[in-house]
Every structure is written in structure tokens, then in C-alpha cells.
Amino acid sequence: QVHLVESGGGLVQAGGSLRLSCVASGSIASINSMAWYRQSPGKQRELVAHITTGGATTYADSVKGRFTIARTGAKDTVYLQMNSLKPEDTAVYYCNAASLEWRMATLRSVDYWGQGTQVTVSS
């Protein structure tokens, strides 16, 4: 019921900047929070940044001070501004949306994922 599409990845020099975008469609009213994850070869997928409906944000220690996550009031688009990029930031970046859905008498969070966008930072 939620479809996510990422864009904005590419190849940049160390110290450069990129802005990733994620557009959500479908039952966007049910989205409770959105996040960016990344995965590089040989490593597990890791949380990069997270934002709630109320606007509260969290960041991985490795990107604090360099990356910024933002979300529109309509809950249909989330951005990740990446500055001072380093080679270790190279990864496939995935958009995530957590949607609240009823199961019997309980409300649970269901995760939806985009297809991923490649970010490569050269040294």
C-alpha cells in the first residue's frame, strides 16, 4: 500500500555534496516515520537517519554534522542532504517508511522499502 522511489545518487569527489530524494505514494496517511538506510559490499544494512511525523530526527554517529534529513508536511517526500562526503559513505542508499496497520485488535508497524540508489564517493 506504500510505494517508495529514491533518486539523486551518483559519483562525487570526496568533500562534495549530494541530495537524495524519496517520493512516497499510496496510503501515505498511514506513514508514521521515514528513514534512510545504506548498505555497502560485505556489510549489513545500517540506519543513516530517521525522522518522525513530529519532525524529531536521529542520525548515525558516522554522519552527524554532515547529513541532514527532512520531510515535507504532506509526508510524501523525504530528503537526505549529504555534505562533506567521504569514501566510506559509498553505498546503496535505501528509503524506508514505517506504516501503522491494524492486525486483529493491535496496531503494528510495517516497513516499506525503495529500490535503492547508488552513492559513490571517490578519494
PDB file of all heavy atoms in Angstrom, residues 1 38 44 54 65 75 86 96 103-104 121:
ATOM      1  N   GLN A   1       0.806  -1.221   0.000  1.00  0.00           N
ATOM      2  CA  GLN A   1       0.000   0.000   0.000  1.00  0.00           C
ATOM      3  C   GLN A   1       0.837   1.269   0.000  1.00  0.00           C
ATOM      4  O   GLN A   1       0.281   2.359  -0.211  1.00  0.00           O
ATOM      5  CB  GLN A   1      -0.960  -0.003   1.179  1.00  0.00           C
ATOM      6  CG  GLN A   1      -0.272  -0.028   2.530  1.00  0.00           C
ATOM      7  CD  GLN A   1      -1.269   0.036   3.668  1.00  0.00           C
ATOM      8  OE1 GLN A   1      -2.246   0.799   3.599  1.00  0.00           O
ATOM      9  NE2 GLN A   1      -1.039  -0.747   4.710  1.00  0.00           N
ATOM     10  N   ARG A  38      21.627   2.487   4.482  1.00  0.00           N
ATOM     11  CA  ARG A  38      22.605   2.255   3.431  1.00  0.00           C
ATOM     12  C   ARG A  38      23.263   0.896   3.627  1.00  0.00           C
ATOM     13  O   ARG A  38      23.328   0.371   4.733  1.00  0.00           O
ATOM     14  CB  ARG A  38      23.663   3.360   3.389  1.00  0.00           C
ATOM     15  CG  ARG A  38      24.588   3.405   4.591  1.00  0.00           C
ATOM     16  CD  ARG A  38      25.503   4.616   4.501  1.00  0.00           C
ATOM     17  NE  ARG A  38      26.435   4.692   5.619  1.00  0.00           N
ATOM     18  CZ  ARG A  38      27.242   5.719   5.853  1.00  0.00           C
ATOM     19  NH1 ARG A  38      27.237   6.775   5.038  1.00  0.00           N
ATOM     20  NH2 ARG A  38      28.063   5.698   6.898  1.00  0.00           N
ATOM     21  N   GLN A  44      26.346  -5.191   6.525  1.00  0.00           N
ATOM     22  CA  GLN A  44      24.910  -5.221   6.739  1.00  0.00           C
ATOM     23  C   GLN A  44      24.307  -3.841   6.516  1.00  0.00           C
ATOM     24  O   GLN A  44      24.990  -2.822   6.627  1.00  0.00           O
ATOM     25  CB  GLN A  44      24.586  -5.706   8.152  1.00  0.00           C
ATOM     26  CG  GLN A  44      24.928  -7.162   8.416  1.00  0.00           C
ATOM     27  CD  GLN A  44      24.463  -7.630   9.774  1.00  0.00           C
ATOM     28  OE1 GLN A  44      24.470  -6.866  10.749  1.00  0.00           O
ATOM     29  NE2 GLN A  44      24.045  -8.882   9.860  1.00  0.00           N
ATOM     30  N   GLY A  54       6.398  14.076  13.785  1.00  0.00           N
ATOM     31  CA  GLY A  54       6.550  15.323  14.507  1.00  0.00           C
ATOM     32  C   GLY A  54       7.816  16.092  14.180  1.00  0.00           C
ATOM     33  O   GLY A  54       7.987  17.214  14.664  1.00  0.00           O
ATOM     34  N   GLY A  65      26.464  15.842  11.824  1.00  0.00           N
ATOM     35  CA  GLY A  65      27.134  17.065  11.429  1.00  0.00           C
ATOM     36  C   GLY A  65      27.369  17.199   9.947  1.00  0.00           C
ATOM     37  O   GLY A  65      27.724  18.284   9.476  1.00  0.00           O
ATOM     38  N   LYS A  75       3.965  14.420   4.087  1.00  0.00           N
ATOM     39  CA  LYS A  75       4.502  13.083   4.340  1.00  0.00           C
ATOM     40  C   LYS A  75       4.708  12.281   3.066  1.00  0.00           C
ATOM     41  O   LYS A  75       4.721  11.056   3.091  1.00  0.00           O
ATOM     42  CB  LYS A  75       3.607  12.300   5.317  1.00  0.00           C
ATOM     43  CG  LYS A  75       3.418  12.945   6.670  1.00  0.00           C
ATOM     44  CD  LYS A  75       2.754  12.014   7.663  1.00  0.00           C
ATOM     45  CE  LYS A  75       1.337  11.674   7.244  1.00  0.00           C
ATOM     46  NZ  LYS A  75       0.663  10.805   8.261  1.00  0.00           N
ATOM     47  N   LYS A  86      32.605  11.361   2.266  1.00  0.00           N
ATOM     48  CA  LYS A  86      33.837  10.598   2.417  1.00  0.00           C
ATOM     49  C   LYS A  86      33.729   9.294   1.645  1.00  0.00           C
ATOM     50  O   LYS A  86      32.630   8.798   1.406  1.00  0.00           O
ATOM     51  CB  LYS A  86      34.093  10.290   3.900  1.00  0.00           C
ATOM     52  CG  LYS A  86      34.127  11.510   4.807  1.00  0.00           C
ATOM     53  CD  LYS A  86      34.261  11.090   6.261  1.00  0.00           C
ATOM     54  CE  LYS A  86      34.291  12.295   7.176  1.00  0.00           C
ATOM     55  NZ  LYS A  86      34.400  11.887   8.603  1.00  0.00           N
ATOM     56  N   ASN A  96      13.139   4.221   3.588  1.00  0.00           N
ATOM     57  CA  ASN A  96      12.281   3.364   4.398  1.00  0.00           C
ATOM     58  C   ASN A  96      11.104   4.167   4.934  1.00  0.00           C
ATOM     59  O   ASN A  96      11.252   5.327   5.315  1.00  0.00           O
ATOM     60  CB  ASN A  96      13.083   2.769   5.565  1.00  0.00           C
ATOM     61  CG  ASN A  96      12.210   2.153   6.635  1.00  0.00           C
ATOM     62  OD1 ASN A  96      11.776   2.833   7.572  1.00  0.00           O
ATOM     63  ND2 ASN A  96      11.953   0.863   6.509  1.00  0.00           N
ATOM     64  N   ARG A 103      -3.773  -5.129  12.967  1.00  0.00           N
ATOM     65  CA  ARG A 103      -3.752  -6.580  12.898  1.00  0.00           C
ATOM     66  C   ARG A 103      -4.550  -7.091  14.081  1.00  0.00           C
ATOM     67  O   ARG A 103      -4.108  -6.960  15.220  1.00  0.00           O
ATOM     68  CB  ARG A 103      -2.328  -7.130  12.910  1.00  0.00           C
ATOM     69  CG  ARG A 103      -1.502  -6.746  11.682  1.00  0.00           C
ATOM     70  CD  ARG A 103      -2.007  -7.457  10.439  1.00  0.00           C
ATOM     71  NE  ARG A 103      -1.159  -7.168   9.287  1.00  0.00           N
ATOM     72  CZ  ARG A 103      -1.327  -6.141   8.462  1.00  0.00           C
ATOM     73  NH1 ARG A 103      -2.333  -5.287   8.675  1.00  0.00           N
ATOM     74  NH2 ARG A 103      -0.513  -5.961   7.447  1.00  0.00           N
ATOM     75  N   MET A 104      -5.731  -7.665  13.791  1.00  0.00           N
ATOM     76  CA  MET A 104      -6.697  -8.015  14.833  1.00  0.00           C
ATOM     77  C   MET A 104      -7.004  -6.739  15.622  1.00  0.00           C
ATOM     78  O   MET A 104      -7.426  -5.742  15.051  1.00  0.00           O
ATOM     79  CB  MET A 104      -6.170  -9.150  15.716  1.00  0.00           C
ATOM     80  CG  MET A 104      -5.891 -10.446  14.972  1.00  0.00           C
ATOM     81  SD  MET A 104      -7.370 -11.156  14.199  1.00  0.00           S
ATOM     82  CE  MET A 104      -8.272 -11.708  15.646  1.00  0.00           C
ATOM     83  N   VAL A 121      31.618   7.706  -3.653  1.00  0.00           N
ATOM     84  CA  VAL A 121      32.493   8.828  -3.322  1.00  0.00           C
ATOM     85  C   VAL A 121      33.925   8.409  -3.599  1.00  0.00           C
ATOM     86  O   VAL A 121      34.434   7.464  -2.994  1.00  0.00           O
ATOM     87  CB  VAL A 121      32.341   9.256  -1.859  1.00  0.00           C
ATOM     88  CG1 VAL A 121      33.193  10.491  -1.584  1.00  0.00           C
ATOM     89  CG2 VAL A 121      30.877   9.528  -1.533  1.00  0.00           C
TER      90      VAL A 121
END
